Amino acid sequence: MEKRFNILIKEKDPNVGALLQECLPNEDFHIEVSFDVNETRNKFNTGEYPVCIINLDPATIEEEFTLAKDIKAMNNHTVLIFLCHNPAKNIILQAYSLYAADDFIKNRLIWMNYRPEYMPS
């Protein structure tokens, strides 16, 4: 039996974090969600995470980029994936060139500002 590996996800919104944690798991990996930069850094320091996904928030993007730099400094082999809703080109370029992103995904999980009239039925 092969060993399961852990994926660490930094997501500010607990609802989205719970959704990701519920939708992504399978028998090959385990999902851990953290809700702020310091919690993510602490979990990364104490666990083994070959993959780290950081959902970028415009209000805290510099802290999250610093977190990404710290993660790569601790373990350069960690796969680092950024999520962001509608990122500017300079954000994408920074993620790849300055913060060693392995991938960048445009996140569509905002549900039109959580307004019920836009929720899928």
Side-chain angles (χ1 to χ4, degrees):
M1 179 192 217
E2 289 187 39
K3 182 181 173 188
R4 292 175 58 178
F5 70 91
N6 297 324
I7 297 175
L8 181 59
I9 299 175
K10 188 274 173 196
E11 169 57 59
K12 182 177 94 172
D13 185 335
N15 295 320
V16 176
L19 179 68
L20 291 170
Q21 200 166 24
E22 185 176 314
C23 293
L24 292 176
N26 68 27
E27 64 265 3
D28 295 329
F29 54 86
H30 172 73
I31 304 295
E32 282 284 330
V33 178
S34 60
F35 301 104
D36 67 36
V37 170
N38 291 328
E39 180 185 2
T40 306
R41 188 176 287 110
N42 290 339
K43 282 187 178 186
F44 190 85
N45 278 332
T46 59
E48 185 178 322
Y49 298 98
V51 178
C52 186
I53 300 171
I54 300 174
N55 194 353
L56 297 174
D57 178 9
T60 57
I61 197 165
E62 291 304 319
E63 292 176 37
E64 291 158 345
F65 277 154
T66 301
L67 171 66
K69 189 184 288 186
D70 293 347
I71 286 171
K72 283 294 190 174
M74 289 182 262
N75 183 352
N76 194 39
H77 300 293
T78 299
V79 174
L80 191 57
I81 301 169
F82 289 104
L83 301 176
C84 189
H85 176 74
N86 202 18
K89 285 183 183 180
N90 68 320
I91 298 297
I92 296 170
L93 290 173
Q94 278 184 322
Y96 281 113
S97 62
L98 299 178
Y99 302 102
D102 293 291
D103 204 351
F104 198 104
I105 301 170
K106 288 186 178 183
N107 182 3
R108 300 291 183 211
L109 290 174
I110 65 151
W111 301 65
M112 303 303 247
N113 296 322
Y114 302 104
R115 296 197 318 231
E117 63 268 22
Y118 294 109
M119 296 293 282
S121 50

